[in-house]
Amino acid sequence: MTLTRREWLQGAGLAAGALAWPQLVGPDRAEAGALTPELEQSLAACSPHDDPLGSLLRRNVQFSRAWQAAAAAGSAEERTELMNGLWQSTCQVDPSAMASGQRPWAALLSCADSRVSPEWIFVSGAGELFDVRCAGNTAFDDGVASLEYAIAELAVPLILVMGHSGCGAVTAALAEAPLTPLLEQLVTPIRAALQPGDDLSLAIRHNASHSAQELSRRSSLLREAVGAGRLRIQPACFDIASGAVTLL
């Protein structure tokens, strides 16, 4: 038997939280409970037909090649031309369809760092990726709730938790310099992920893996989706110099 959206939410323990979701998804979406088949097809026009993680990695290979070529270019104009070439053969979801809904095919928990834009790294257009970002890519409360929304309401099958080289938040967590109260609060979960003897590179990887584990630990909805085979949570690390993403 196919469950309605409300029945699914109740089974996942989110019925109370769902009462506030019409404000997020819009009255038409909340009342109908589903998009029309035609709109679903339009919104999924750029979704991969195979494994979402494999698609992310293949797109990242394209980005990495262009990124390294741009690093060797002699001018800003040449770098721009090289990077713009990435978008010449990509897909773009119909903006008029996105005005009525969304069907992202992957979610990312990544750092707020200006060099780590998921759409850029994975050569993706609007409507494809559901982004949650904060300094240090930690499993913060609002971020976990946002990902719960992506899984329960948008049926996203993959969460990639992505750290990156040279992360300033992880650097701060490793250091002993005094921080503001809010920054201390931000680095506390990062420090919980550190292991004795960690240098920055290892700390970044341990933090990404720890955040991925925390998503399932802190959210019964995400944990149940993983257990039922509806969701994969995968930690990864992005190397700014090469442009390459490595799974952890």
Side-chain angles (χ1 to χ4, degrees), residues 78-160:
E78 187 178 353
R79 286 191 292 273
T80 299
E81 182 177 355
L82 285 165
M83 297 310 297
N84 283 344
L86 283 173
W87 308 101
Q88 293 178 359
S89 61
T90 57
C91 181
Q92 176 60 56
V93 178
D94 182 357
S96 62
M98 287 191 287
S100 299
Q102 60 173 319
R103 272 293 175 261
W105 49 269
L108 285 100
L109 174 59
S110 58
C111 187
D113 192 293
S114 63
R115 303 163 293 178
V116 190
S117 171
E119 280 77 13
W120 190 242
I121 294 168
F122 297 108
V123 196
S124 301
E128 294 193 74
L129 305 181
F130 188 95
D131 294 341
V132 175
R133 301 181 67 180
C134 74
N137 44 271
T138 60
F140 65 109
D141 289 350
D142 291 349
V144 176
S146 297
L147 291 169
E148 287 183 332
Y149 169 81
I151 305 313
E153 181 66 16
L154 305 177
V156 172
L158 170 68
I159 298 173
L160 189 72

Side-chain angles (χ1 to χ4, degrees), residues 190-203:
I190 300 176
R191 286 174 174 156
L194 302 180
Q195 298 181 17
D198 274 357
D199 59 11
L200 179 59
S201 179
L202 284 173

Side-chain angles (χ1 to χ4, degrees), residues 24-29 35 39 42-43 93-103 126-127:
L24 296 176
V25 301
D28 293 341
R29 173 72 168 140
L35 303 173
L39 188 54
S42 294
L43 292 172
V93 178
D94 182 357
S96 62
M98 287 191 287
S100 299
Q102 60 173 319
R103 272 293 175 261

Side-chain angles (χ1 to χ4, degrees), residues 15 64 70 114 128 185 201 222 227 232:
S64 180
S114 63
E128 294 193 74
Q185 181 178 324
S201 179
L222 299 182
R232 177 175 180 176

